[in-house]
Amino acid sequence: MSKKKLGFQSTLIHGGGFEDALGSPTVPIYQTSTFTFKSADHGAACFSGEDDGYIYTRLGNPTIGAMENVVAELEQGYGGIAVSSGMGAVNTIYMGLLSQGDHMVSSAAVYGPSRSVMEKHWSRFGVESTYVNTANADEIRQAIKPNTKMLYIETPANPTMDITDLEEAVKIAKEHNLITVVDNTFSSPHLQQPLTFGIDIVFHSMTKFLNGHADVVAGIIVAREKEMYEKLRPIMINLGVNMDPHQAFLVHRGIKTLSVRIDRAQENAIKIAKFLEEHPKVKWVKYPGLPSHPQHELAKKQMKGFGTMLSFELKGGYDAGKTVMNNVEVALLAVSLGGVETLIQHPASMTHSKVSKESKLKAGITDGLVRYSVGIENVEDLIDDLKQALDKI
Ligand code: LCS
């Protein structure tokens, strides 16, 4: 293949540069824990770094490496670090870059455990955190203290769909010498490439869009610069949150259809968002593609599409939401998101249940908020499904 830089969709298919010795177009699954050395000297050279041969799968593996290289290319970063889950990525980043006495400013609306692990556990090791609405740059500025080291952003945020201005965030971080981290799970690199805005680290729960088929739990970190990559990779290795080769194979297969899956689901998402917004029983809908979304213009500027996630609240609050969740027949009542199947869930009692009620309300996660992840089913079926469930209220 020519060395010309490929477009995004070609990179999904051909990225990473892996060439199989026997000509397989897919990356074989090296389902092994260890690799034999040619000699004792060769083993020593692999450990010293003189030889880049494989040693042990927790340290590196060809199947995992091929997938890491594709995602690093898609995010336009220096290198990818595959991890066992999205939470493996979160904790690798916290452990690698925050020490006792350091402070982190983060989006208040983040995936519940990304916040609760910081507030309940990293705090035990002396790491401080402040959660603010990062969609408001003034709130970020006011939260920065002399010991602030990291600005952690989830955009669009789970589950409020709030959008943080990445350009502005990088500007603030530069003024205060902060490391910037973006959880890019809700967009995937198909819709948003935070490293191109100057963000230092991007990570994903690949359980979601990158894999896309609700059959794997996985994560990845991509660093913009070599130095950051080299800081984080040993943390993943020593924490032991490495990926398994079979997991990597499945995610790599899912990645190939990332663009077609998201483009197709987005066509459904805007129609569903409009249907809900016009429905008399609906109080509000948050979808970046609706002009009523408070950061609709920002979404247009920094994202290549509006995504497939939306949240809404019914006029009847939680009880009405529960009726809808209990009566949908095409959408599945389940947590997770970003797959080909449509999912519906209730963040306050499910994904964000471990976050205190006060913090949830401050972050905009009301009791009545219902989250809906749009899949690639026929949109008429999804709308009819919601219609009949709303009729049951
Ligand atoms: N970041 C975001 C934005 C997420 O949505 C999730 C999982 C994670 C990180 C953690 O990834 P995991 O370890 O599960 O691969 N989000 C979930 C959700 O909203 N429902 O179930 C899981």
Side-chain angles (χ1 to χ4, degrees):
M1 196 175 301
S2 85
K3 294 282 179 245
K4 172 181 170 284
K5 189 171 173 346
L6 298 173
F8 187 87
Q9 298 192 32
S10 304
T11 306
L12 291 172
I13 312 296
H14 300 294
F18 182 88
E19 281 180 31
D20 181 58
L22 302 180
S24 164
T26 58
V27 181
I29 310 174
Y30 283 89
Q31 194 69 46
T32 179
S33 57
T34 196
F35 296 82
T36 50
F37 303 124
K38 295 184 191 91
S39 65
D41 281 346
H42 177 225
C46 289
F47 271 90
S48 74
E50 257 170 75
D51 189 301
D52 61 4
Y54 289 100
I55 298 172
Y56 184 62
T57 282
R58 180 157 51 75
L59 281 55
N61 172 292
T63 313
I64 300 169
M67 189 281 296
E68 288 173 328
N69 291 343
V70 177
V71 182
E73 271 182 41
L74 296 172
E75 288 285 10
Q76 302 193 42
Y78 170 79
I81 304 166
V83 278
S84 54
S85 67
M87 285 313 295
V90 170
N91 284 301
T92 299
I93 292 166
Y94 289 164
M95 187 182 184
L97 304 173
L98 295 169
S99 299
Q100 190 176 28
D102 287 349
H103 175 248
M104 172 185 91
V105 175
S106 168
S107 307
V110 285
Y111 174 55
S114 304
R115 178 168 183 167
S116 55
V117 75
M118 173 55 72
E119 292 187 323
K120 292 201 175 95
H121 300 291
W122 288 101
S123 62
R124 293 191 290 115
F125 302 94
V127 180
E128 298 169 20
S129 55
T130 304
Y131 288 84
V132 298
N133 179 8
T134 52
N136 180 343
D138 289 339
E139 286 199 32
I140 302 179
R141 282 204 168 85
Q142 280 158 19
I144 293 170
K145 305 199 289 184
N147 59 338
T148 306
K149 292 276 154 51
M150 181 185 287
L151 175 58
Y152 178 110
I153 293 162
E154 202 177 284
T155 183
N158 183 359
T160 59
M161 304 308 298
D162 289 330
I163 295 173
T164 299
D165 188 329
L166 293 174
E167 209 177 298
E168 186 69 18
V170 168
K171 200 172 134 227
I172 298 171
K174 281 205 174 123
E175 285 163 20
H176 298 272
N177 202 20
L178 311 180
I179 298 167
T180 43
V181 177
V182 169
D183 182 338
N184 204 25
T185 299
F186 263 43
S187 296
S188 93
H190 177 55
L191 299 181
Q192 175 173 280
Q193 292 157 352
L195 303 184
T196 64
F197 289 79
I199 294 288
D200 298 308
I201 298 161
V202 66
F203 79 89
H204 292 270
S205 165
M206 295 202 291
T207 316
K208 315 298 188 297
F209 292 97
L210 282 158
N211 179 59
H213 293 77
D215 52 10
V216 180
V217 170
I220 197 160
I221 301 165
V222 181
R224 186 163 50 84
E225 305 280 355
K226 182 171 186 243
E227 190 192 344
M228 193 60 82
Y229 170 84
E230 288 180 346
K231 213 176 218 177
L232 289 173
R233 188 158 190 101
I235 306 290
M236 175 281 287
I237 291 170
N238 292 328
L239 262 178
V241 290
N242 58 286
M243 185 172 275
D244 179 83
H246 188 244
Q247 219 180 344
F249 171 81
L250 287 171
V251 176
H252 199 161
R253 185 169 70 165
I255 284 171
K256 295 180 189 192
T257 54
L258 179 73
S259 291
V260 287
R261 281 187 281 107
I262 293 187
D263 287 346
R264 180 66 193 77
Q266 277 186 150
E267 287 172 19
N268 287 353
I270 185 68
K271 289 181 186 151
I272 291 166
K274 284 184 178 158
F275 160 76
L276 284 170
E277 194 167 50
E278 281 159 21
H279 197 283
K281 289 183 182 167
V282 175
K283 193 165 154 192
W284 55 257
V285 183
K286 282 274 281 292
Y287 177 65
L290 289 176
S292 60
H293 188 290
Q295 293 107 18
H296 176 61
E297 291 305 318
L298 174 61
K300 266 200 230 165
K301 195 179 99 184
Q302 77 181 21
M303 296 170 70
K304 292 182 181 130
F306 300 116
T308 75
M309 297 298 298
L310 58 93
S311 60
F312 60 91
E313 184 165 329
L314 301 175
K315 286 180 183 154
Y318 175 58
D319 288 341
K322 206 159 116 179
T323 303
V324 168
M325 286 185 280
N326 285 336
N327 285 286
V328 284
E329 289 168 359
V330 180
L332 307 175
L333 177 56
V335 296
S336 203
L337 57 108
V340 290
E341 54 290 288
T342 297
L343 303 178
I344 191 166
Q345 71 113 357
H346 179 239
S349 68
M350 298 175 187
T351 46
H352 294 66
S353 57
K354 299 287 185 289
V355 176
S356 75
K357 187 157 176 120
E358 193 200 341
S359 298
K360 273 194 286 241
L361 287 178
K362 222 173 135 213
I365 308 165
T366 55
D367 266 349
L369 186 152
V370 174
R371 194 186 74 185
Y372 194 85
S373 169
V374 183
I376 63 169
E377 298 93 337
N378 288 88
V379 72
E380 300 77 21
D381 292 335
L382 295 173
I383 289 176
D384 286 350
D385 187 38
L386 282 168
K387 240 185 225 161
Q388 62 80 27
L390 285 159
D391 284 347
K392 301 259 167 48
I393 296 167

